[in-house]
Amino acid sequence: MRCKTVSLHHPNRRGAVLSMELVLVLPLFLLLIFSLVEFSMLTAGQARVASAAQAGARYMSLSGAEESAVQARVAQVLGSDLSAVCSIAVQPANYVGETGYVTVSVPMQSASPDLLWFIGFGLAGRSLEMRAGMVAERCAATASAETPIPDIGI
């Protein structure tokens, strides 16, 4: 009776090992890529929301603009895609030297695709929110109709 020797370095065996490595590593690699994309887009969205809130607070502080004008400025800075779904709250200053606040909130699903829902990090029900405040240099009650509103270049 002859014994048959089995080699572990058989060419077909090497392909099976590579396939198994791919099956084990590919999900982790895709998870890493999806995480990078989603968190990058959320960070960019947060920066846009923060910039819009700060621009609204600055506009309100320098011009003494009314609530609707501040909301229009914030929507302009946010852009058409985020301004359609955002909520903007303006708390104007009552007198010069008081701090006025602008709060902007945008749903996370509008700022980024929901790529990590399958691991339990869903964006549904979460929002990007920023509150910015500035000391009023002019108030709406004291600003006259003849005084031009300065263009602050945002």
Side-chain angles (χ1 to χ4, degrees), residues 107-132:
M108 282 187 179
Q109 287 180 320
S110 300
S112 172
D114 198 0
L115 300 175
L116 300 178
W117 61 269
F118 60 91
I119 63 165
F121 185 78
L123 300 179
R126 297 181 184 199
S127 63
L128 300 171
E129 188 169 324
M130 177 64 183
R131 183 176 188 209

PDB file of all heavy atoms in Angstrom, residues 107-132:
ATOM      1  N   PRO A 107     -30.873  68.712  10.441  1.00  0.00           N
ATOM      2  CA  PRO A 107     -30.851  67.257  10.616  1.00  0.00           C
ATOM      3  C   PRO A 107     -29.589  66.641   9.999  1.00  0.00           C
ATOM      4  O   PRO A 107     -29.163  67.049   8.923  1.00  0.00           O
ATOM      5  CB  PRO A 107     -32.095  66.765   9.876  1.00  0.00           C
ATOM      6  CG  PRO A 107     -32.957  67.967   9.707  1.00  0.00           C
ATOM      7  CD  PRO A 107     -32.048  69.146   9.688  1.00  0.00           C
ATOM      8  N   MET A 108     -28.988  65.696  10.709  1.00  0.00           N
ATOM      9  CA  MET A 108     -27.757  65.065  10.221  1.00  0.00           C
ATOM     10  C   MET A 108     -27.966  64.349   8.902  1.00  0.00           C
ATOM     11  O   MET A 108     -27.060  64.294   8.078  1.00  0.00           O
ATOM     12  CB  MET A 108     -27.210  64.081  11.259  1.00  0.00           C
ATOM     13  CG  MET A 108     -26.489  64.702  12.395  1.00  0.00           C
ATOM     14  SD  MET A 108     -25.728  63.403  13.402  1.00  0.00           S
ATOM     15  CE  MET A 108     -24.929  64.382  14.643  1.00  0.00           C
ATOM     16  N   GLN A 109     -29.147  63.811   8.687  1.00  0.00           N
ATOM     17  CA  GLN A 109     -29.402  63.084   7.436  1.00  0.00           C
ATOM     18  C   GLN A 109     -29.352  64.000   6.226  1.00  0.00           C
ATOM     19  O   GLN A 109     -29.131  63.538   5.114  1.00  0.00           O
ATOM     20  CB  GLN A 109     -30.753  62.375   7.497  1.00  0.00           C
ATOM     21  CG  GLN A 109     -30.753  61.173   8.405  1.00  0.00           C
ATOM     22  CD  GLN A 109     -32.111  60.495   8.436  1.00  0.00           C
ATOM     23  OE1 GLN A 109     -33.138  61.151   8.451  1.00  0.00           O
ATOM     24  NE2 GLN A 109     -32.090  59.177   8.444  1.00  0.00           N
ATOM     25  N   SER A 110     -29.548  65.298   6.425  1.00  0.00           N
ATOM     26  CA  SER A 110     -29.450  66.248   5.320  1.00  0.00           C
ATOM     27  C   SER A 110     -28.008  66.624   5.019  1.00  0.00           C
ATOM     28  O   SER A 110     -27.695  67.053   3.921  1.00  0.00           O
ATOM     29  CB  SER A 110     -30.230  67.515   5.649  1.00  0.00           C
ATOM     30  OG  SER A 110     -31.575  67.211   5.864  1.00  0.00           O
ATOM     31  N   ALA A 111     -27.128  66.478   6.007  1.00  0.00           N
ATOM     32  CA  ALA A 111     -25.731  66.865   5.839  1.00  0.00           C
ATOM     33  C   ALA A 111     -24.848  65.714   5.367  1.00  0.00           C
ATOM     34  O   ALA A 111     -23.768  65.943   4.833  1.00  0.00           O
ATOM     35  CB  ALA A 111     -25.182  67.416   7.148  1.00  0.00           C
ATOM     36  N   SER A 112     -25.292  64.472   5.575  1.00  0.00           N
ATOM     37  CA  SER A 112     -24.463  63.321   5.244  1.00  0.00           C
ATOM     38  C   SER A 112     -25.338  62.107   4.954  1.00  0.00           C
ATOM     39  O   SER A 112     -26.397  61.956   5.568  1.00  0.00           O
ATOM     40  CB  SER A 112     -23.531  63.009   6.425  1.00  0.00           C
ATOM     41  OG  SER A 112     -22.838  61.801   6.220  1.00  0.00           O
ATOM     42  N   PRO A 113     -24.897  61.230   4.064  1.00  0.00           N
ATOM     43  CA  PRO A 113     -25.645  59.980   3.862  1.00  0.00           C
ATOM     44  C   PRO A 113     -25.472  59.075   5.086  1.00  0.00           C
ATOM     45  O   PRO A 113     -24.458  59.126   5.764  1.00  0.00           O
ATOM     46  CB  PRO A 113     -24.999  59.359   2.622  1.00  0.00           C
ATOM     47  CG  PRO A 113     -23.644  59.953   2.559  1.00  0.00           C
ATOM     48  CD  PRO A 113     -23.752  61.325   3.157  1.00  0.00           C
ATOM     49  N   ASP A 114     -26.478  58.294   5.365  1.00  0.00           N
ATOM     50  CA  ASP A 114     -26.464  57.406   6.528  1.00  0.00           C
ATOM     51  C   ASP A 114     -25.761  56.098   6.160  1.00  0.00           C
ATOM     52  O   ASP A 114     -26.396  55.108   5.841  1.00  0.00           O
ATOM     53  CB  ASP A 114     -27.893  57.150   6.989  1.00  0.00           C
ATOM     54  CG  ASP A 114     -27.959  56.620   8.402  1.00  0.00           C
ATOM     55  OD1 ASP A 114     -26.896  56.455   9.025  1.00  0.00           O
ATOM     56  OD2 ASP A 114     -29.076  56.395   8.887  1.00  0.00           O
ATOM     57  N   LEU A 115     -24.429  56.102   6.208  1.00  0.00           N
ATOM     58  CA  LEU A 115     -23.639  54.944   5.764  1.00  0.00           C
ATOM     59  C   LEU A 115     -23.398  53.911   6.853  1.00  0.00           C
ATOM     60  O   LEU A 115     -23.050  52.775   6.552  1.00  0.00           O
ATOM     61  CB  LEU A 115     -22.289  55.427   5.220  1.00  0.00           C
ATOM     62  CG  LEU A 115     -22.332  56.373   4.024  1.00  0.00           C
ATOM     63  CD1 LEU A 115     -20.931  56.853   3.678  1.00  0.00           C
ATOM     64  CD2 LEU A 115     -22.981  55.708   2.844  1.00  0.00           C
ATOM     65  N   LEU A 116     -23.531  54.283   8.104  1.00  0.00           N
ATOM     66  CA  LEU A 116     -23.181  53.374   9.201  1.00  0.00           C
ATOM     67  C   LEU A 116     -24.408  52.856   9.952  1.00  0.00           C
ATOM     68  O   LEU A 116     -24.287  52.415  11.091  1.00  0.00           O
ATOM     69  CB  LEU A 116     -22.225  54.077  10.168  1.00  0.00           C
ATOM     70  CG  LEU A 116     -20.907  54.537   9.566  1.00  0.00           C
ATOM     71  CD1 LEU A 116     -20.083  55.265  10.601  1.00  0.00           C
ATOM     72  CD2 LEU A 116     -20.135  53.371   8.999  1.00  0.00           C
ATOM     73  N   TRP A 117     -25.577  52.881   9.340  1.00  0.00           N
ATOM     74  CA  TRP A 117     -26.783  52.406  10.004  1.00  0.00           C
ATOM     75  C   TRP A 117     -26.691  50.928  10.366  1.00  0.00           C
ATOM     76  O   TRP A 117     -27.254  50.491  11.345  1.00  0.00           O
ATOM     77  CB  TRP A 117     -28.009  52.652   9.128  1.00  0.00           C
ATOM     78  CG  TRP A 117     -27.942  51.942   7.812  1.00  0.00           C
ATOM     79  CD1 TRP A 117     -27.435  52.416   6.655  1.00  0.00           C
ATOM     80  CD2 TRP A 117     -28.360  50.603   7.536  1.00  0.00           C
ATOM     81  NE1 TRP A 117     -27.513  51.472   5.663  1.00  0.00           N
ATOM     82  CE2 TRP A 117     -28.071  50.341   6.184  1.00  0.00           C
ATOM     83  CE3 TRP A 117     -28.943  49.591   8.295  1.00  0.00           C
ATOM     84  CZ2 TRP A 117     -28.350  49.128   5.585  1.00  0.00           C
ATOM     85  CZ3 TRP A 117     -29.226  48.384   7.697  1.00  0.00           C
ATOM     86  CH2 TRP A 117     -28.935  48.159   6.357  1.00  0.00           C
ATOM     87  N   PHE A 118     -25.964  50.162   9.570  1.00  0.00           N
ATOM     88  CA  PHE A 118     -25.906  48.710   9.778  1.00  0.00           C
ATOM     89  C   PHE A 118     -25.088  48.312  11.000  1.00  0.00           C
ATOM     90  O   PHE A 118     -25.159  47.167  11.437  1.00  0.00           O
ATOM     91  CB  PHE A 118     -25.384  47.991   8.526  1.00  0.00           C
ATOM     92  CG  PHE A 118     -23.991  48.404   8.117  1.00  0.00           C
ATOM     93  CD1 PHE A 118     -22.889  47.727   8.596  1.00  0.00           C
ATOM     94  CD2 PHE A 118     -23.799  49.461   7.254  1.00  0.00           C
ATOM     95  CE1 PHE A 118     -21.611  48.101   8.222  1.00  0.00           C
ATOM     96  CE2 PHE A 118     -22.536  49.841   6.866  1.00  0.00           C
ATOM     97  CZ  PHE A 118     -21.429  49.169   7.358  1.00  0.00           C
ATOM     98  N   ILE A 119     -24.325  49.224  11.581  1.00  0.00           N
ATOM     99  CA  ILE A 119     -23.606  48.904  12.823  1.00  0.00           C
ATOM    100  C   ILE A 119     -24.220  49.612  14.026  1.00  0.00           C
ATOM    101  O   ILE A 119     -23.681  49.572  15.124  1.00  0.00           O
ATOM    102  CB  ILE A 119     -22.105  49.256  12.731  1.00  0.00           C
ATOM    103  CG1 ILE A 119     -21.902  50.748  12.526  1.00  0.00           C
ATOM    104  CG2 ILE A 119     -21.427  48.446  11.658  1.00  0.00           C
ATOM    105  CD1 ILE A 119     -20.486  51.192  12.787  1.00  0.00           C
ATOM    106  N   GLY A 120     -25.358  50.286  13.806  1.00  0.00           N
ATOM    107  CA  GLY A 120     -26.056  50.921  14.910  1.00  0.00           C
ATOM    108  C   GLY A 120     -25.799  52.402  15.069  1.00  0.00           C
ATOM    109  O   GLY A 120     -26.283  53.009  16.010  1.00  0.00           O
ATOM    110  N   PHE A 121     -25.043  53.018  14.170  1.00  0.00           N
ATOM    111  CA  PHE A 121     -24.816  54.459  14.233  1.00  0.00           C
ATOM    112  C   PHE A 121     -25.660  55.114  13.155  1.00  0.00           C
ATOM    113  O   PHE A 121     -25.182  55.484  12.103  1.00  0.00           O
ATOM    114  CB  PHE A 121     -23.332  54.790  14.037  1.00  0.00           C
ATOM    115  CG  PHE A 121     -23.038  56.258  14.213  1.00  0.00           C
ATOM    116  CD1 PHE A 121     -22.947  56.800  15.476  1.00  0.00           C
ATOM    117  CD2 PHE A 121     -22.875  57.091  13.121  1.00  0.00           C
ATOM    118  CE1 PHE A 121     -22.689  58.140  15.643  1.00  0.00           C
ATOM    119  CE2 PHE A 121     -22.616  58.435  13.275  1.00  0.00           C
ATOM    120  CZ  PHE A 121     -22.530  58.960  14.541  1.00  0.00           C
ATOM    121  N   GLY A 122     -26.943  55.222  13.426  1.00  0.00           N
ATOM    122  CA  GLY A 122     -27.852  55.849  12.477  1.00  0.00           C
ATOM    123  C   GLY A 122     -27.956  57.340  12.736  1.00  0.00           C
ATOM    124  O   GLY A 122     -27.774  57.814  13.854  1.00  0.00           O
ATOM    125  N   LEU A 123     -28.266  58.095  11.699  1.00  0.00           N
ATOM    126  CA  LEU A 123     -28.365  59.541  11.810  1.00  0.00           C
ATOM    127  C   LEU A 123     -29.790  60.029  12.036  1.00  0.00           C
ATOM    128  O   LEU A 123     -30.000  61.211  12.274  1.00  0.00           O
ATOM    129  CB  LEU A 123     -27.808  60.197  10.543  1.00  0.00           C
ATOM    130  CG  LEU A 123     -26.350  59.899  10.217  1.00  0.00           C
ATOM    131  CD1 LEU A 123     -25.938  60.598   8.930  1.00  0.00           C
ATOM    132  CD2 LEU A 123     -25.446  60.307  11.360  1.00  0.00           C
ATOM    133  N   ALA A 124     -30.750  59.123  11.971  1.00  0.00           N
ATOM    134  CA  ALA A 124     -32.150  59.509  12.141  1.00  0.00           C
ATOM    135  C   ALA A 124     -32.380  60.076  13.541  1.00  0.00           C
ATOM    136  O   ALA A 124     -31.939  59.519  14.544  1.00  0.00           O
ATOM    137  CB  ALA A 124     -33.049  58.302  11.908  1.00  0.00           C
ATOM    138  N   GLY A 125     -33.057  61.209  13.587  1.00  0.00           N
ATOM    139  CA  GLY A 125     -33.382  61.820  14.875  1.00  0.00           C
ATOM    140  C   GLY A 125     -32.256  62.638  15.488  1.00  0.00           C
ATOM    141  O   GLY A 125     -32.407  63.169  16.577  1.00  0.00           O
ATOM    142  N   ARG A 126     -31.138  62.766  14.818  1.00  0.00           N
ATOM    143  CA  ARG A 126     -30.006  63.544  15.339  1.00  0.00           C
ATOM    144  C   ARG A 126     -29.860  64.811  14.502  1.00  0.00           C
ATOM    145  O   ARG A 126     -30.252  64.848  13.347  1.00  0.00           O
ATOM    146  CB  ARG A 126     -28.710  62.745  15.276  1.00  0.00           C
ATOM    147  CG  ARG A 126     -28.744  61.507  16.134  1.00  0.00           C
ATOM    148  CD  ARG A 126     -27.445  60.773  16.043  1.00  0.00           C
ATOM    149  NE  ARG A 126     -27.507  59.534  16.801  1.00  0.00           N
ATOM    150  CZ  ARG A 126     -26.454  58.878  17.202  1.00  0.00           C
ATOM    151  NH1 ARG A 126     -25.248  59.310  16.917  1.00  0.00           N
ATOM    152  NH2 ARG A 126     -26.579  57.773  17.900  1.00  0.00           N
ATOM    153  N   SER A 127     -29.264  65.831  15.116  1.00  0.00           N
ATOM    154  CA  SER A 127     -29.108  67.079  14.369  1.00  0.00           C
ATOM    155  C   SER A 127     -27.780  67.743  14.697  1.00  0.00           C
ATOM    156  O   SER A 127     -27.191  67.514  15.750  1.00  0.00           O
ATOM    157  CB  SER A 127     -30.254  68.035  14.682  1.00  0.00           C
ATOM    158  OG  SER A 127     -30.227  68.392  16.050  1.00  0.00           O
ATOM    159  N   LEU A 128     -27.330  68.546  13.757  1.00  0.00           N
ATOM    160  CA  LEU A 128     -26.170  69.403  13.944  1.00  0.00           C
ATOM    161  C   LEU A 128     -26.705  70.740  14.433  1.00  0.00           C
ATOM    162  O   LEU A 128     -27.574  71.329  13.793  1.00  0.00           O
ATOM    163  CB  LEU A 128     -25.421  69.601  12.628  1.00  0.00           C
ATOM    164  CG  LEU A 128     -24.877  68.351  11.949  1.00  0.00           C
ATOM    165  CD1 LEU A 128     -24.362  68.698  10.559  1.00  0.00           C
ATOM    166  CD2 LEU A 128     -23.764  67.756  12.779  1.00  0.00           C
ATOM    167  N   GLU A 129     -26.219  71.215  15.564  1.00  0.00           N
ATOM    168  CA  GLU A 129     -26.752  72.447  16.133  1.00  0.00           C
ATOM    169  C   GLU A 129     -25.620  73.354  16.586  1.00  0.00           C
ATOM    170  O   GLU A 129     -24.625  72.896  17.136  1.00  0.00           O
ATOM    171  CB  GLU A 129     -27.657  72.123  17.316  1.00  0.00           C
ATOM    172  CG  GLU A 129     -28.397  73.317  17.839  1.00  0.00           C
ATOM    173  CD  GLU A 129     -29.484  72.935  18.833  1.00  0.00           C
ATOM    174  OE1 GLU A 129     -30.120  71.890  18.638  1.00  0.00           O
ATOM    175  OE2 GLU A 129     -29.668  73.694  19.785  1.00  0.00           O
ATOM    176  N   MET A 130     -25.809  74.640  16.333  1.00  0.00           N
ATOM    177  CA  MET A 130     -24.808  75.635  16.730  1.00  0.00           C
ATOM    178  C   MET A 130     -25.528  76.872  17.220  1.00  0.00           C
ATOM    179  O   MET A 130     -26.506  77.308  16.620  1.00  0.00           O
ATOM    180  CB  MET A 130     -23.911  75.988  15.533  1.00  0.00           C
ATOM    181  CG  MET A 130     -22.895  77.034  15.800  1.00  0.00           C
ATOM    182  SD  MET A 130     -21.711  76.484  17.027  1.00  0.00           S
ATOM    183  CE  MET A 130     -20.725  77.945  17.198  1.00  0.00           C
ATOM    184  N   ARG A 131     -25.020  77.423  18.314  1.00  0.00           N
ATOM    185  CA  ARG A 131     -25.554  78.670  18.862  1.00  0.00           C
ATOM    186  C   ARG A 131     -24.413  79.673  18.901  1.00  0.00           C
ATOM    187  O   ARG A 131     -23.362  79.410  19.478  1.00  0.00           O
ATOM    188  CB  ARG A 131     -26.115  78.445  20.254  1.00  0.00           C
ATOM    189  CG  ARG A 131     -26.748  79.683  20.845  1.00  0.00           C
ATOM    190  CD  ARG A 131     -27.381  79.385  22.172  1.00  0.00           C
ATOM    191  NE  ARG A 131     -28.139  80.544  22.615  1.00  0.00           N
ATOM    192  CZ  ARG A 131     -28.338  80.835  23.871  1.00  0.00           C
ATOM    193  NH1 ARG A 131     -27.863  80.056  24.823  1.00  0.00           N
ATOM    194  NH2 ARG A 131     -29.029  81.902  24.199  1.00  0.00           N
ATOM    195  N   ALA A 132     -24.639  80.817  18.288  1.00  0.00           N
ATOM    196  CA  ALA A 132     -23.624  81.865  18.267  1.00  0.00           C
ATOM    197  C   ALA A 132     -24.220  83.137  18.847  1.00  0.00           C
ATOM    198  O   ALA A 132     -25.377  83.463  18.597  1.00  0.00           O
ATOM    199  CB  ALA A 132     -23.141  82.110  16.839  1.00  0.00           C
TER     200      ALA A 132
END
